[in-house]
Structure formats: structure tokens, C-alpha cells
Amino acid sequence: VVSDWSSDVCSSDLIRPHKAVQDFIDEEGKFKSLVEAAGWLYPGGGHRHAIHKATKLNEPIESAFVLLFASVGVIYYTLKSRVRGRKARLAMLVPEISDLELYVEVRQAIAEQSVLELTASSASDAALRMLTTITANQTSNQFADGLGGSFVCRVMTFGIVSWNEKQKTRTYAHSVFSGRLIGFENYRVAAAIFKNHWQKSKEEQKGKKQEKKESYFIASPTARELIADNIAQGRAWFHNFTTFLDQKEVRKGLLYERKELFQMIEKASFEDENERIFISVCHISWRRRMSKLAERASKEGADRGRLIQKEFERLRTSISRSRNAHNLRETIVDWWARAGTNQELQGEGLSKLLPLFNEKNWKKARDLALLALISYQPKDKQEAVDMAAIQPAETSIEEGESTNE
């Protein structure tokens, strides 16, 4: 039996660790009682302290044997993350399994997906994409029903870290509990709006003759990373948008996704519908603010696009730098006042929004305000030209410049 098993291990195309036999079998041809769980056997497992042998991971032979074949049974997603960059290149998903035969069918259904579908933006996004596949597939539904509609999935990401450029290191581990995902429907909405797509790139070839060769890569939407991470944690889909937007690379991506963010606001559910109204007020205020800046540019012969770009960045940084409820109220009220009369704030409109400015909710209001600013959709061609002036790059207001009227 040992001889046959050893031969299979050496010849298998799926399991290629060249020292597997030596690791599992001693010199007498018997299975070892303990097997060192190196990285190839236990992804992410390693020697904690090189000078201390006791800090090596070891597994009983039964567990090690299962781990040897586990790599072909788990699920993998390629990661394209703007937040974690090269630290998150691959996600390995280890779902809870109660019916092995049914899981084989589920695993096959997922494996048959295209590389476009098997690309995610984060560990949480990978787990939720897998859950979406499970709930959409008839066989997978049987799998979900067998688990009572809820199961646990352990997710680990691997990538490159500065202290080890040549090896993929485990950089993150997290468990997703599907039964606790109150906002899972919002993820379905996000997955339908923020889709992966092939994007063309140009690479310059080195040589005497400089030429540019077209190539393609999979682009994963930036916003879906934030949305998935929030929903996996049971939070509002726009939670912590302020911190997310503060990152330069993230901001570049989101500025390209204005249209999709606007669609998300329209179709997603909110804990309180006043949050959607708050966004609407901010949209109207930004439209009227742009209109006033356009009038000013016309009177003064100024660069219309430049004024709008500067105002956008001034407003974004002012909201982002608000560190308490009082600062935020001042910033938002000033924004709304500069825009002029807003029908949404007449009557009881303003009183409905006031709770968003209290000590409990002001951070949520800050996230909503920035979400509104970056998701604004032009109403005509001229507005589209004005919004195009806001480039997806680092911008700042030069000292001494102002857009105040």
C-alpha cells in the first residue's frame, strides 16, 4: 500500500512536492507519526523562529495526508486590489463542508467559471463571489440547503511582502459567516453593477526599435473592494468611505467609476431612507455650485474647468478632514448655503436630516457626503465637460488660490 501510494504521489500531475514521500515515510518505509507542515503542505504555515526547531508546525500523519490533497479541493481566486496591491495576489477559500459528494459538484461548477469570474478585488470579495455562485446554481442551492442556508468559509490571501520578494506569503486570514450577512442583497447589486472587465494595456518592448505591443489584463472595480469588505463584516456598504477615498490609487479608480457608484446609490438599500435623501441634497448642491462657478468663469474670463476642479478638491479635503460633528456641520452647511435654495431642505426636509449630524452619526454623514460628491452624474453635455475637468489624479489647491465667491 505504501509503495503504491508513494508512486502515485511522485507521478501525479496535481501533487508535485518532490519530497513528499521522504516527508511522509521514514527510512523503514513506514508512515511517520508527525509530518512537518511546510508552506507547500500548509499554505501560510512556516517556521516562526529559524533558530528554534520547536516553532516549526507539525501535523499528525492523518491530518497531513488530508492536507496533501486539500490543495486540489479548495477554491482559488486571483486578486486585483487597489488597497493591498501586491500583498494580495491570490485568495484561497476553504468552505465548511458537510456533504462531500455534493461539494464536489459545487467545486466543479466554480472551477468551470472563466478567469474573469474567478478574479476578485479582496478576500471578502472572493468569498462573496463564491456565495453568489452557490446561491445562483441549482446544485449549489442543494449544498446551501444542506447547511441550513448558512455556512462558514475561511479565506486566506497570499502575496509579496517586502522582506521576501521571491515567495508568496500569507498576508491575511478571515472567516466569512454567510448566515450573518444582513446586507448580502446589496452585494448582489454591487456585483451586477461593478463587473470585472478586460482592459487594454500597452507594453513597450526593449530593443533597438521601440515598439508598443497591445496586451490585456483583467480590471476589477475599485468600489467593489470596499463594498465587499463592509458587507462581509456586517456593516453598511459605504462604511468608512472617507478613509477609503483618502488613498491616492483608490481615488483614481473611484473617479472612473462615478456612473456605477450613482447606480449603486439608486439600487442599493439603506438602513434609513434619509441617508439616500442626504445624498440627493448633496448632488443638487454640487450641481448648483458648478453652475455658479461657471457663471463666475464667464464673467471673469477664467478657466471654468480649473475653477471646478479646485472647488471639488477643496470640498473633498474639507469634508475628509472634519474630525468631529461640529466641523462636519460647518462644512456641509457652508456647501449647501453656497449652492442656494434647495427644495429638498424645505419644510421638514432639513429636520429629517439633522440626526445625521449628531455625535452618533456624523461619521456616517461624512461618508455619505463624500460618496455623493464623487458619484455625481452630469445632467447635460456641458456638465459632462465640467466633470471631465476633475481628473483621476492627485490634485491640490495651490497656496493663495481660492474658489470662494
Side-chain angles (χ1 to χ4, degrees):
V1 174
V2 171
S3 177
D4 292 342
W5 175 79
S6 302
S7 176
D8 289 342
V9 169
C10 292
S11 62
S12 172
D13 288 330
L14 296 175
I15 305 167
R16 299 297 297 174
H18 65 287
K19 293 184 179 181
V21 176
Q22 294 93 317
D23 289 337
F24 276 72
I25 301 173
D26 62 22
E27 294 179 356
E28 297 179 0
K30 296 180 180 179
F31 281 115
K32 296 178 180 179
S33 59
L34 288 176
V35 176
E36 184 180 326
W40 64 266
L41 183 65
Y42 189 166
H47 193 177
R48 183 175 290 275
H49 300 290
I51 62 173
H52 300 294
K53 292 183 178 180
T55 60
K56 286 185 178 181
L57 291 175
N58 292 282
E59 288 289 337
I61 187 65
E62 297 86 355
S63 300
F65 188 77
V66 173
L67 286 171
L68 182 63
F69 293 92
S71 60
V72 297
V74 295
I75 297 167
Y76 300 93
Y77 280 79
T78 300
L79 296 184
K80 302 283 187 178
S81 170
R82 280 188 179 272
V83 176
R84 298 180 66 81
R86 65 178 191 163
K87 288 184 178 180
R89 294 286 184 83
L90 175 76
M92 184 177 75
L93 282 65
V94 187
E96 179 184 58
I97 301 171
S98 62
D99 186 327
L100 188 57
E101 290 185 358
L102 188 55
Y103 175 70
V104 170
E105 297 182 42
V106 174
R107 174 68 177 79
Q108 184 62 32
I110 294 176
E112 290 175 353
Q113 293 182 316
S114 69
V115 65
L116 200 63
E117 296 169 307
L118 291 173
T119 299
S121 58
S122 67
S124 296
D125 187 36
L128 295 180
R129 286 178 78 78
M130 185 190 72
L131 286 176
T132 302
T133 301
I134 286 177
T135 56
N137 182 280
Q138 184 175 0
T139 299
S140 300
N141 278 332
Q142 296 173 11
F143 178 69
D145 291 341
L147 294 167
S150 173
F151 71 102
V152 181
C153 180
R154 186 68 171 167
V155 190
M156 288 174 275
T157 65
F158 298 84
I160 300 172
V161 292
S162 58
W163 60 87
N164 193 340
E165 297 280 344
K166 297 181 179 180
Q167 186 176 338
K168 298 296 187 296
T169 303
R170 188 176 71 183
T171 54
Y172 179 76
H174 175 63
S175 291
V176 176
F177 300 83
S178 65
R180 301 180 188 176
L181 301 180
I182 300 174
F184 187 53
E185 286 304 314
N186 274 341
Y187 178 77
R188 291 179 189 272
V189 173
I193 294 173
F194 299 97
K195 295 181 178 180
N196 293 339
H197 60 276
W198 289 103
Q199 188 167 318
K200 183 187 295 186
S201 64
K202 292 184 177 180
E203 298 179 354
E204 189 171 314
Q205 293 182 329
K206 294 182 179 180
K208 294 181 179 180
K209 187 177 181 181
Q210 297 294 328
E211 295 180 353
K212 288 187 177 180
K213 182 181 178 181
E214 290 185 351
S215 60
Y216 293 83
F217 64 93
I218 294 176
S220 184
T222 303
R224 202 178 69 219
E225 183 169 359
L226 170 74
I227 295 170
D229 289 348
N230 278 330
I231 291 175
Q233 297 285 346
R235 302 183 295 231
W237 63 269
F238 55 85
H239 176 78
N240 210 23
F241 189 81
T242 302
T243 302
F244 194 65
L245 187 63
D246 276 345
Q247 302 172 70
K248 181 180 177 181
E249 288 302 312
V250 166
R251 190 155 63 250
K252 287 181 180 180
L254 291 177
L255 283 168
Y256 282 120
E257 297 169 13
R258 295 181 187 130
K259 181 179 179 181
E260 289 78 8
L261 282 169
F262 184 80
Q263 292 173 355
M264 186 69 189
I265 292 168
E266 286 191 316
K267 297 180 180 180
S269 60
F270 288 82
E271 184 180 359
D272 184 342
E273 277 302 305
N274 286 326
E275 295 168 7
R276 201 191 308 271
I277 294 173
F278 180 92
I279 292 175
S280 177
V281 171
C282 291
H283 279 162
I284 294 171
S285 297
W286 176 243
R287 181 186 313 131
R288 292 181 176 174
R289 182 64 181 143
M290 283 198 299
S291 178
K292 289 191 174 185
L293 289 172
E295 291 178 5
R296 174 186 163 187
S298 179
K299 291 179 181 178
E300 300 177 0
D303 186 328
R304 176 174 179 157
R306 174 63 175 161
L307 284 178
I308 290 173
Q309 182 182 26
K310 284 164 47 182
E311 175 67 356
F312 176 92
E313 190 62 15
R314 183 197 68 80
L315 190 53
R316 182 190 70 78
T317 54
S318 295
I319 296 171
S320 181
R321 292 171 183 171
S322 296
R323 291 294 178 258
N324 53 54
H326 177 72
N327 290 156
L328 183 68
R329 281 194 298 269
E330 284 188 336
T331 301
I332 300 300
V333 169
D334 177 70
W335 178 15
W336 290 354
R338 288 173 185 273
T341 305
N342 192 322
Q343 193 64 34
E344 297 262 19
L345 297 175
Q346 302 304 306
E348 297 181 355
L350 180 59
S351 61
K352 289 181 179 180
L353 300 183
L354 287 178
L356 285 170
F357 293 101
N358 62 28
E359 291 297 328
K360 178 182 177 181
N361 295 317
W362 72 270
K363 289 184 178 179
K364 178 189 289 186
R366 183 176 62 180
D367 290 335
L368 290 169
L370 287 170
L371 176 61
L373 183 63
I374 202 138
S375 66
Y376 179 78
Q377 281 301 290
K379 297 300 180 182
D380 52 42
K381 291 183 178 179
Q382 184 55 60
E383 280 194 7
V385 173
D386 293 340
M387 290 297 293
I390 303 170
Q391 298 298 320
E394 189 72 14
T395 57
S396 61
I397 301 174
E398 296 175 10
E399 188 176 357
E401 292 184 329
S402 172
T403 56
N404 296 343
E405 292 180 333

